[in-house]
Amino acid sequence: MKSIVIASGNEHKIEEFRAMFKPLGIEVIGMKECGEMEEVQETGATFAENAVIKAEYLMKKLNQPVISDDSGLEIDALNREPGVYSARYLGHDTSYELKNRTLVERMKDKTDRTCRFVCAIALARPGHPTRVFEGIVEGIVARQPEGGHGFGYDPIFYYPPLGRTLAQISEQEKNAISHRGKAMRKLMEFWQHEEVAD
């Protein structure tokens, strides 16, 4: 397999996957490059279920390997919101600047500021069972958004071991510790084992 389709139209996410797959010599193709695809309804109750729904739908449409991730932010003091609704929180078209400001405001009087990013990556291949790889990174909700790197909720996700938010660190640093980076390394380990086994 020298190319794989990513079931996402999020350019930031696609670029992260491209950076991670590049050392393996694998081309990452964004979903939009495959022609018109209808939006898949994320009806799962977990990140893993949503990732599988998207990956299997596109795999069947294209009859080729697809990976899909579903990821989001869980804030303990807010009953793990926004959770699986992270992308849809306050509406799909709402800017992350507003989403982040809203969450910081909701957290202003909370003493428990623990949170985590969760990522589930599904690998769907014709003729093979779908596999799911998960990664988690624990953090704290920042008092205010900080940093200009990353995307989404990165500016309000403070990572204590580095003393900065994920939006204040480089892409290399983020990939080393992020939820998506951890899930990707599990996927790559499986991938390389499968390639050898084949």
Side-chain angles (χ1 to χ4, degrees), residues 16-17 19-21 23-24 26 67 69 117 119-123 131-138 159 162 166 169-194:
E16 281 194 4
F17 278 115
M20 292 178 186
F21 268 112
L24 297 180
I26 295 162
I67 59 175
D69 92 314
F117 272 131
C119 175
I121 299 177
L123 168 63
R131 298 292 301 258
V132 177
F133 308 89
E134 293 188 282
I136 295 172
V137 59
E138 300 282 347
Y159 184 63
L162 293 181
L166 293 191
I169 63 178
S170 69
E171 184 181 345
Q172 290 77 16
E173 287 176 301
K174 182 181 171 184
N175 286 345
I177 57 97
S178 77
H179 53 310
R180 189 168 295 112
K182 290 176 181 177
M184 277 294 299
R185 281 188 287 281
K186 291 179 184 177
L187 166 61
M188 286 180 174
E189 188 178 326
F190 172 80
W191 186 293
Q192 289 168 312
H193 173 75
E194 286 283 292

Side-chain angles (χ1 to χ4, degrees), residues 27-84:
E27 179 191 9
V28 168
I29 303 167
M31 187 171 78
K32 290 177 182 175
E33 297 171 57
C34 300
E36 279 299 315
M37 292 286 167
E38 61 189 73
E39 190 75 22
V40 185
Q41 294 303 309
E42 297 178 351
T43 55
T46 65
F47 295 110
E49 287 175 9
N50 282 334
V52 168
I53 288 167
K54 290 185 286 186
E56 291 186 344
Y57 167 80
L58 204 57
M59 181 266 290
K60 288 168 186 171
K61 293 277 282 190
L62 300 173
N63 195 35
Q64 69 181 85
V66 173
I67 59 175
S68 171
D69 92 314
D70 194 43
S71 54
L73 176 65
E74 295 182 342
I75 299 175
D76 290 325
L78 301 181
N79 297 316
R80 298 203 168 182
E81 289 182 27
V84 293

